[in-house]
Amino acid sequence: SCSQFLAFFDNIVQAIERGEREGSNNIMAPNTTDIAEDEGEDIDRSVKLAIPWNLTTTSEMEGKKDSLLTIGKDDDEDEDDEDSTSSDLHQPTVASGDLEIREVRRLTEGDNASIQVWRNIILFLLQVVATFITVLTYIFLDHNDIQNFDRGYDQVVETVRDSLESNLRGFTDGPEGLAKLVSAHAVAANEAFPNVVLPNFEVQVDRARRHSRADALIFAPLVYEPDVTEWTMFSTANQGWIDESFATIGQERINKDPIPSEIYNLNHSPITDYPLAPYWQLSPPPTNPEIVNLNAVSMAQDRLIFDAVVVSESFAIGNVTEKSVLQYATQKETRSELGNHHSTMMHPVFANFQDQASRIVGIVVSYLHWENYLQDLVPSNVNGIFLVLRNTCGQNFTYELVEGKTLYVGEGDLHEIGDLDERDFDDYEAVIDLLEGTMESQGDSTCRYMVSLFPSTTYWSDYDSNMPYIFAIVVSFTSLLMAMFFFTYDSFVETRTRKIVSEAAQSNAIVASLFPTELRNRLFKEDDENSNAPSESSSKKYRTGKHGLKNFLLGGKSTEDGMASQKPIADLFTETTVMFADLVGFTAWASEREPTQVFTLLETLYQAFDEIVKGRRVFKVETVGDCYVAVAGLPEYKRDHATSMARVARDCVMKTHELTRRLEVTLGPDTSELSIRVGLHSGPVTAGVLRGDRARFQLFGDTMNVASRMEHTSEKGRIQISKTTADLITRDGKGKWIRPRNELVTVKGKGDLQTYWLEIKSGQFSVRDGSNEDSSTSQLTKEDELFAISRESISSSNTSTKLASKLDRLINWNVEILGNLIKQIMARRKENGASISAEDFDAKVELTRGGTVLDEVKEIIALPDFDDNIAPSILDYEAIQLSDIVVSQLRDYIHSIAMLHKNNPFHNFEHASHVVMSAVKLLGRIVAPSDIEYDIERKRLASTLHRHTYGITSDPLTQFSCCFGALIHDVDHPGVPNAQLIKEDPALANLYRQKSVAEQNSIDIAWRLFMEDRFTQLRTAICGTQVELQRFRQLVVNSVMA
């Protein structure tokens, strides 16, 4: 059996050497038959097929296992053993280095399939069981916390409901009792309303007032117009009840002034509406007798409440106010710690308290202080419940129940927003309708009140325990220990596999980025065919992973005559359209920008182009500098390739127009002037992979040359197409898109050609991924109706609008630049510990000057010393936020400066913005100490850089001054040399002593503008002290004049 088994392995190894890779089962069956015939024994094939390879590790094969199969040797060992053979059946030799890595993986997976399956099953079951137990434990314990929370919250809601009902019941009972008391007295004493005085008023009413928790109870009889004079005499004669009330409560009446002799309104407005309801008897007694005879319904809101009382013949409540008439009467102070919110309630007083069908002869006015009624709602151990008081008048007030107290939070619904068990706290809202069922008939003239309760995270924290997490962690940790043995064992096996897969994935990603999908598949297919070739030389050349990809792209080895040994992958595509798009003005623009700005522009544009190309099912070929090349019609055939490419060209032109204007704020002036010119040509191209160093997918042919010429002879912002492309577009029913160019175009090698302009309105088509753009005739008709001239859609029809737009962009860019410098100034000031406000320092003080601006120029300006602790803070200026008023004043100032510039060549606002950009660029090229890492070894280097740059880049105020001077240096410049200006304006010349007249005038105008009152906050942000203002002035003068 041992010899037969070894022969079995020997045949397998020989089959592998011959390249028979149909699968291990297909190889094993014939070989076992050969063995049986050679040995003359009848061997059961099914048994032989069931023998696993790893039986070579048994004791009988212990000495032979290293010589049976040598898969996995290094390449050098493989080459040494290629030609060696042995007749010894027990020591077969295999050239394993020539085997493909994926073949090794295939055989390995086949041999260990059952082991891998059971290992995965066991690991999966272990994970499932552990996860199930962990999740079940957590859910159970967490659900228990939620149930406890729900029960506790329901108890709190019921407690609050009972407390509110009890409090409000007392509130309504007190005024109602007073109304019945007054009515009963009038009937018993045979007194006619309104001339009724309740004797011992304070004795009878004080207890009812305290029980109702009202701030005051006031009886106000109804006085009609004929009764006004009689009431005036009656109230004046019977005001003794005030002294009686003070005597009852044992207090001395301090203000003994008589009550007003007439009924009056609170705002002393003329009395026009009747009946009147003068305040008459009050509890507690008024400290200011002027409250008596105040018309209770003098205010509009009070009149609405009274009307509701008359209509419903029941009580009515008004909206919430922060100050009541009671405060005027009793001179009580506002309770700020609890809030000061009142509502007015009016109860009717009937002529006969036993018959509510009798007429209403007066009202009882009470003032509800809500903070009193919302106290003592819950026990002291309850915290974190939000109570929102609402009414139908649209008012909301939020309180929080903390340790049995009700604390005022603020106006509006301010309850905490949180989540609990996939429900937010809003789901726990409990609404309690105050005085439910008593005010339905009052309509919209008064307010109905309700209370909403919400829990908070504070309240939830009393029920939220850590037990679910603790138990879940314990169970997970136990399961993790059990799984560690599986992962440890499996990690050694998977390391090699992951490495192979990673290399293959990297190779696939590289090829996918270089070639179209169809071509990439052909590359891999040919690579597989070469890998499976029987010859040893062929199998050596191409391996999977990085080696195989590298060998293929480099073309393999050359033959003796210098010809490539591998057949090229190339095809002829007869129907394609090629687009060349070049960025006009890019070279000049880029010469004035930093490399990062150049690549910001190119990456932004090219990424946008890539999205357009993908959406139109067009293939991007390459980018050469600022030229973008794309082709439609390959690798997939596309009948409407010309129309699709026309849409791509149109979209690219419009996207460039949009992005350049958007980028002008960050990339500086003239960015919006950039545009692309596009050329299209249709025809056959040869496409394929050109192997060698930096192999890539390329196109060749006359079509490429003509498309390049179409782009080269096109115009800025326009799309030029050849006659061939124009004919194809016309064939697709889009003839209205094109217009012949007036003049012929001379093309090298072609002579004079008639070309066409492609004119498609922007915005008429949307980019659709993989969609059929010509799916219906109705769509074509709609596209034709939206036909228009592209140049007119790009450029503004109104010249003044375009100029204004450009000016706004220049202003926005200058605001961005100077704003960042101001942030750096403020960051340095903050690091110094200075905090300056407009109140601390008035930067409007005019500087003490003598002579002209030129006289202020200094040969030496001292800059701040180097501070290695402050310099890094400048890097954090992005965290500084300029106030809206500072940004607004900065924008207004720059706009004013722009308006002060005259439209002269090289002396206008656009030129000044270019000078600012140059200053920023030069400052950026100086290495600043803040760019150095501040470890101990580099502090000395940073200090050296500070000295070598004269300290300019260490001081944000100096940088701001340079840019500020660049912005203002040509303000009001007449556009003529100073010599000519002296002749034309002698007065101005004499003012500045015939020297640098235009420059000095510019500084004076800009500085006077800067010192105006409307820029106070801007000055304060730039200059924190008078010393800084002096230094800023000196820096600006030297920047412009020196």
Side-chain angles (χ1 to χ4, degrees), residues 160 163-165 167-168 213 320 338-339 341 368-378 385-390 397-402 404-409 432 434 449-453:
V160 173
S163 299
L164 288 175
E165 290 179 355
N167 293 345
L168 290 175
R213 295 192 181 186
V320 179
L338 298 177
H341 300 94
L368 170 61
H369 190 191
W370 286 104
E371 281 70 21
N372 285 341
Y373 282 87
L374 298 179
Q375 295 301 321
D376 303 325
L377 298 181
V378 294
I385 298 294
F386 282 96
L387 184 150
V388 181
L389 177 66
R390 312 179 192 273
F397 302 91
T398 302
Y399 301 83
E400 185 177 4
L401 306 182
V402 179
K405 298 181 180 179
T406 304
L407 304 180
Y408 178 65
V409 177
I432 303 174
L434 305 183
Y449 286 82
M450 65 286 297
V451 166
S452 294
L453 297 178

Side-chain angles (χ1 to χ4, degrees), residues 128-140:
V128 169
V129 172
T131 303
F132 178 77
I133 296 176
T134 302
V135 173
L136 188 63
T137 302
Y138 176 84
I139 292 176
F140 175 78

Side-chain angles (χ1 to χ4, degrees), residues 88-380:
D88 188 352
L89 183 63
H90 303 283
Q91 296 184 4
T93 303
V94 179
S96 59
D98 296 334
L99 298 178
E100 292 292 343
I101 297 178
R102 65 172 174 273
E103 188 68 24
V104 175
R105 179 183 179 186
R106 183 187 305 166
L107 293 175
T108 304
E109 290 177 349
D111 296 336
N112 299 290
S114 59
I115 298 176
Q116 182 67 32
V117 169
W118 279 108
R119 180 177 58 187
N120 292 338
I121 290 175
I122 294 173
L123 183 60
F124 174 76
L125 292 177
L126 179 63
Q127 292 177 343
V128 169
V129 172
T131 303
F132 178 77
I133 296 176
T134 302
V135 173
L136 188 63
T137 302
Y138 176 84
I139 292 176
F140 175 78
L141 296 176
D142 185 65
H143 184 66
N144 186 56
D145 290 345
I146 297 295
Q147 286 183 327
N148 293 335
F149 170 82
D150 291 342
R151 286 192 294 267
Y153 179 67
D154 291 341
Q155 292 176 359
V156 170
V157 171
E158 291 303 319
T159 302
V160 173
R161 188 189 305 275
D162 294 341
S163 299
L164 288 175
E165 290 179 355
S166 175
N167 293 345
L168 290 175
R169 193 180 304 111
F171 173 63
T172 57
D173 290 347
E176 184 178 356
L178 176 58
K180 292 180 178 180
L181 189 63
V182 172
S183 180
H185 168 74
V187 173
N190 197 23
E191 297 180 357
F193 286 95
N195 302 328
V196 175
V197 178
L198 183 65
N200 298 319
F201 183 81
E202 187 65 25
V203 175
Q204 300 187 61
V205 179
D206 180 68
R207 183 176 180 181
R209 176 178 60 83
R210 296 180 183 276
H211 177 67
S212 67
R213 295 192 181 186
D215 288 349
L217 290 180
I218 306 172
F219 166 59
L222 298 184
V223 179
Y224 293 87
E225 187 173 4
D227 303 328
V228 171
T229 302
E230 182 182 356
W231 167 257
T232 301
M233 298 173 58
F234 174 81
S235 62
T236 302
N238 294 274
Q239 59 181 308
W241 68 268
I242 300 178
D243 294 328
E244 180 184 87
S245 295
F246 273 106
T248 299
I249 63 177
Q251 294 184 7
E252 181 182 358
R253 180 181 176 184
I254 298 176
N255 189 341
K256 299 182 179 181
D257 294 338
I259 66 173
S261 59
E262 296 180 352
I263 303 174
Y264 69 97
N265 288 336
L266 182 62
N267 54 5
H268 297 284
S269 61
I271 296 176
T272 58
D273 296 330
Y274 289 90
L276 306 178
Y279 285 168
W280 178 224
Q281 291 184 285
L282 295 78
S283 176
T287 57
N288 185 354
E290 290 186 2
I291 192 66
V292 181
N293 273 338
L294 170 64
N295 186 13
V297 293
S298 59
M299 304 301 291
Q301 175 63 28
D302 296 332
R303 175 63 67 174
L304 291 175
I305 302 174
F306 174 73
D307 292 341
V309 171
V310 173
V311 172
S312 64
E313 296 184 348
S314 178
F315 69 89
I317 304 178
N319 62 354
V320 179
T321 60
E322 291 189 359
K323 184 176 182 181
S324 67
V325 179
L326 172 68
Q327 292 175 311
Y328 173 74
T330 61
Q331 298 181 355
K332 289 185 178 181
E333 296 183 356
T334 301
R335 289 174 246 187
S336 59
E337 70 279 2
L338 298 177
N340 191 39
H341 300 94
H342 300 81
S343 291
T344 302
M345 176 183 283
M346 295 184 183
H347 277 72
V349 178
F350 296 96
N352 187 345
F353 73 95
Q354 295 180 343
D355 182 12
Q356 292 194 0
S358 60
R359 65 186 181 92
I360 298 177
V361 295
I363 57 175
V364 173
V365 182
S366 58
Y367 292 100
L368 170 61
H369 190 191
W370 286 104
E371 281 70 21
N372 285 341
Y373 282 87
L374 298 179
Q375 295 301 321
D376 303 325
L377 298 181
V378 294
S380 59

Side-chain angles (χ1 to χ4, degrees), residues 922-947:
L922 291 174
L923 289 172
R925 289 185 175 179
I926 303 176
V927 178
S930 58
D931 295 333
I932 305 299
E933 293 185 16
Y934 276 77
D935 51 18
I936 298 177
E937 292 77 8
R938 298 197 176 187
K939 283 187 177 181
R940 182 176 301 176
L941 175 59
S943 177
T944 303
L945 286 172
H946 169 83
R947 294 193 301 272

